[in-house]
Amino acid sequence: MEVVSDRTKPRVKDYMTRDVATVSPDETVSDVATRIAESEEHSGFPVCERRRVEGFVSARDLLLAEDDDPIFKVMATDLLVAHPDMKVNDAARVILRSGIQKLPVVDDAGNLVGIISNADVIRSQIERATPEKVGKLMRTLEQIHEIDLTEERRTIPLEDLTPTQGRVYADELEGRRYELERGLAEPLVVIDNDGTLLLADGHHRVLASDRLGIDEMDAYVIVVDQEIDLGMAQTAEKEDLERIDDIEVVDYARHPLVRTTQRLQSDEDDVEKE
């Protein structure tokens, strides 16, 4: 099993389902197939010996198996799992990269404590952009620049936005597209710096929207009446960011999380060889 852990909030344990349906390694293919057929929620189950996760079995694993075969003969044992303290964003990347719908969550002893699904991940993403988050950014700007700001809710044309982030990651971009197609995307956070609309938060959502042919989005807008010298504006100028077309899409394999995971796997392989 590959476990990636991170103690930064929000965490997997805040969004996972704790009441998990499981099957035993000794149950038969016929028994599990019946459970899947009768269920409206499950297309597979974690396979547990007591609380310890031994594998995962899906409907696909059962197709060519004999009815009397025990599940331990057909279950997948090379599975990905999450840790309760793993960042939800990291769990989202694992789910999107692997194409799975659900990720078992295990504690330090390898015991099953929950399961997190792509729906749980979407719920966590929707909850991120809140008025409190925007208010915190606005208060920070007011303190740094010693000015009073106001906040509005607007629909912003994407072509009017100036990006302040030079790159986005392909796997997270796919996640934002998934949300948009289902009408679940959160608002952008934009700073109106005396007419210049700086995109403070939502670069993946903006690029996903553009690819879907969406030309405007809902946004929290922090209004600056008289132009101020913002660090994010300097970043945009330094990186020649003028339009959303200037944002580079980076393949997920180059993401720092993936590089770290690959390095850890390489180190483990080296240890096994020794």
Side-chain angles (χ1 to χ4, degrees):
M1 295 183 188
E2 172 194 336
V3 183
V4 186
S5 179
D6 194 312
R7 298 187 181 278
T8 306
K9 296 181 180 180
R11 292 171 290 178
V12 164
K13 67 182 180 182
D14 299 321
Y15 292 94
M16 69 185 187
T17 299
R18 296 178 183 273
D19 185 15
V20 184
T22 66
V23 297
S24 164
D26 295 324
E27 288 189 55
T28 66
V29 166
S30 177
D31 290 338
V32 176
T34 299
R35 288 183 61 181
I36 291 176
E38 294 176 348
S39 171
E40 295 181 357
E41 301 178 9
H42 300 289
S43 59
F45 299 95
V47 182
C48 295
E49 186 68 53
R50 295 186 179 179
R51 291 179 57 211
R52 188 172 180 83
V53 180
E54 302 291 343
F56 193 93
V57 63
S58 67
R60 182 181 300 176
D61 298 323
L62 307 179
L63 291 178
L64 300 179
E66 298 292 334
D67 287 347
D68 293 334
D69 283 346
I71 289 300
F72 71 80
K73 284 189 175 182
V74 299
M75 69 183 184
T77 56
D78 183 18
L79 70 158
L80 297 167
V81 298
H83 188 277
D85 288 323
M86 184 180 186
K87 282 177 60 177
V88 172
N89 280 357
D90 290 346
R93 291 190 177 99
V94 173
I95 288 172
L96 289 168
R97 292 203 319 266
S98 61
I100 59 178
Q101 293 184 336
K102 296 181 178 180
L103 200 60
V105 183
V106 302
D107 61 16
D108 292 333
N111 294 323
L112 183 72
V113 294
I115 198 162
I116 188 164
S117 68
N118 49 13
D120 297 324
V121 167
I122 291 173
R123 178 165 58 89
S124 74
Q125 300 299 310
I126 295 170
E127 294 173 357
R128 286 188 308 169
T130 63
E132 289 78 14
K133 177 179 179 180
V134 178
K136 183 177 180 180
L137 174 58
M138 188 166 68
R139 290 191 297 274
T140 300
L141 292 173
E142 287 178 329
Q143 291 171 4
I144 292 174
H145 297 281
E146 298 181 345
I147 57 174
D148 292 325
L149 302 173
T150 57
E151 177 194 335
E152 299 175 357
R153 192 74 175 263
R154 297 186 205 162
T155 299
I156 302 292
L158 302 190
E159 64 180 4
D160 292 346
L161 290 169
T162 299
T164 60
Q165 177 180 318
R167 61 176 55 184
V168 298
Y169 292 101
D171 56 344
E172 191 166 347
L173 183 62
E174 187 62 27
R176 301 296 83 76
R177 179 176 181 136
Y178 183 95
E179 295 167 9
L180 285 161
E181 287 175 335
R182 289 156 180 78
L184 300 174
E186 63 190 82
L188 308 174
V189 179
V190 174
I191 299 176
D192 183 347
N193 193 16
D194 192 25
T196 300
L197 300 180
L198 298 168
L199 179 59
D201 182 72
H203 288 76
H204 287 87
R205 297 192 295 281
V206 163
L207 217 56
S209 296
D210 183 61
R211 291 186 171 188
L212 289 171
I214 299 171
D215 56 12
E216 59 183 21
M217 293 188 71
D218 186 27
Y220 296 109
V221 181
I222 298 173
V223 182
V224 183
D225 291 329
Q226 294 185 344
E227 185 177 2
I228 57 177
D229 188 17
L230 293 169
M232 63 181 65
Q234 295 174 6
T235 299
E237 183 177 356
K238 182 179 180 180
E239 297 187 19
D240 294 325
L241 301 174
E242 297 180 355
R243 301 170 53 85
I244 59 175
D245 292 341
D246 297 326
I247 302 172
E248 177 188 6
V249 179
V250 181
D251 185 80
Y252 72 79
R254 293 170 57 190
H255 193 281
L257 170 70
V258 180
R259 288 179 172 178
T260 300
T261 301
Q262 290 173 338
R263 186 174 67 250
L264 290 173
Q265 289 176 329
S266 177
D267 291 344
E268 290 175 358
D269 291 342
D270 292 341
V271 170
E272 290 177 0
K273 290 177 182 178
E274 293 176 359

